[in-house]
Amino acid sequence: MHRSRIGVVLIDHPRDRFESSAAFWALARGSTRRADGDEPVYDSLDPIGGGIMLELQRTGEGTPARVHLDIETDDVDAEIARLVAAGATVVERQAAYAVLRDPGGLVFCVVPVQTGRDFDAHATTWN
Amino acid sequence: MHRSRIGVVLIDHPRDRFESSAAFWALARGSTRRADGDEPVYDSLDPIGGGIMLELQRTGEGTPARVHLDIETDDVDAEIARLVAAGATVVERQAAYAVLRDPGGLVFCVVPVQTGRDFDAHATTWN
């Protein structure tokens, strides 16, 4: 038995377009930006509904601007197995997380729990 | 004075890949799919946190699989003006809604209120 939910919405831009886009989304949301560390990959904006995180990600030059979703879970291996059985494909498996594609080719990630109590309050339990 | 928020997360696939992808996301979320009408463009899944709608959209053949965000608002014109001042560009203005791009080229939409009481509970007021 494990749990999961859509826990993070990420707005991704290559580094050369990141700053103007991140400034825009902070204004659009009326939110401050909080960078993670000195050379951050992610800036956080205020969460959207249900404590879902809204993250701005710096991607590589070749990655087009996009939105992607993270599914957070208390059992990454079990969640990957569940989603592969439902039709997804694993693109890349890292120690802590994985990148997958849906049957139509859309990229999303499976990650450990990011949102603490909001995860406990809103996640779905799978048997 | 008007209000807005990120109110809808849309998972878009061209029609020839829609069915397998929509079936996947329904399983991934543990949600039934509700189609709008006989020849639907959108199928709805259960909302995610804060009553944010999760919609599956059938797009044209040329549109790659993507996620896009809708900003819902009680004043579409005022919200477009606010977002253009923040750096967005209007791609297409329809009677009821508009398609915009952020400074990095990412497509999103500005739409009338979709979520009723959840909009009232969670929207930001702009002066």
Side-chain angles (χ1 to χ4, degrees):
Chain A
M1 206 166 75
H2 75 283
R3 294 173 295 163
S4 73
R5 71 162 190 156
I6 294 174
V8 192
V9 173
L10 297 101
I11 298 175
D12 300 341
H13 287 88
R15 284 184 179 269
D16 62 346
R17 298 187 189 182
F18 179 82
E19 192 54 38
S20 59
S21 299
F24 167 76
W25 284 101
L27 287 169
R29 288 270 297 136
S31 168
T32 54
R33 285 161 58 192
R34 292 170 299 283
D36 299 343
D38 289 338
E39 293 184 36
V41 173
Y42 302 99
D43 284 9
S44 300
L45 299 181
D46 295 337
I48 55 177
I52 294 172
M53 294 170 66
L54 181 62
E55 298 287 304
L56 307 172
Q57 183 179 198
R58 295 162 179 85
T59 58
E61 299 298 318
T63 308
R66 70 180 176 198
V67 177
H68 86 264
L69 303 175
D70 279 1
I71 296 177
E72 61 176 342
T73 177
D74 55 9
D75 187 333
V76 169
D77 287 329
E79 181 66 359
I80 292 170
R82 187 182 77 83
L83 295 171
V84 167
T89 308
V90 177
V91 177
E92 183 185 345
R93 181 69 165 96
Q94 297 288 344
Y97 72 95
V99 181
L100 290 84
R101 287 186 190 277
D102 79 4
L106 186 69
V107 168
F108 65 98
C109 295
V110 175
V111 302
V113 174
Q114 305 290 305
T115 69
R117 285 185 203 173
D118 286 306
F119 176 82
D120 291 333
H122 298 290
T124 301
T125 300
W126 310 103
N127 291 302
Chain B
M1 206 167 76
H2 75 282
R3 294 174 295 163
S4 73
R5 72 162 190 155
I6 294 173
V8 192
V9 174
L10 297 101
I11 297 174
D12 301 340
H13 286 89
R15 284 183 179 270
D16 61 346
R17 298 187 188 182
F18 179 82
E19 191 55 37
S20 58
S21 299
F24 167 75
W25 284 101
L27 287 169
R29 289 269 298 135
S31 169
T32 54
R33 286 161 57 193
R34 293 170 298 283
D36 299 342
D38 289 339
E39 295 185 35
V41 173
Y42 302 99
D43 284 9
S44 299
L45 298 182
D46 294 337
I48 55 177
I52 294 172
M53 294 169 66
L54 181 62
E55 298 287 303
L56 306 172
Q57 182 179 200
R58 295 162 179 85
T59 57
E61 298 299 319
T63 307
R66 70 179 177 201
V67 177
H68 86 264
L69 303 175
D70 280 1
I71 296 177
E72 60 175 341
T73 177
D74 54 10
D75 187 334
V76 169
D77 287 329
E79 181 67 0
I80 292 171
R82 188 181 77 82
L83 294 171
V84 167
T89 309
V90 177
V91 176
E92 183 185 347
R93 180 71 166 96
Q94 297 287 342
Y97 73 95
V99 181
L100 289 85
R101 287 186 191 277
D102 80 5
L106 186 69
V107 167
F108 65 98
C109 295
V110 175
V111 302
V113 174
Q114 305 290 305
T115 68
R117 284 185 204 173
D118 285 306
F119 176 81
D120 291 333
H122 298 290
T124 301
T125 301
W126 310 104
N127 291 302

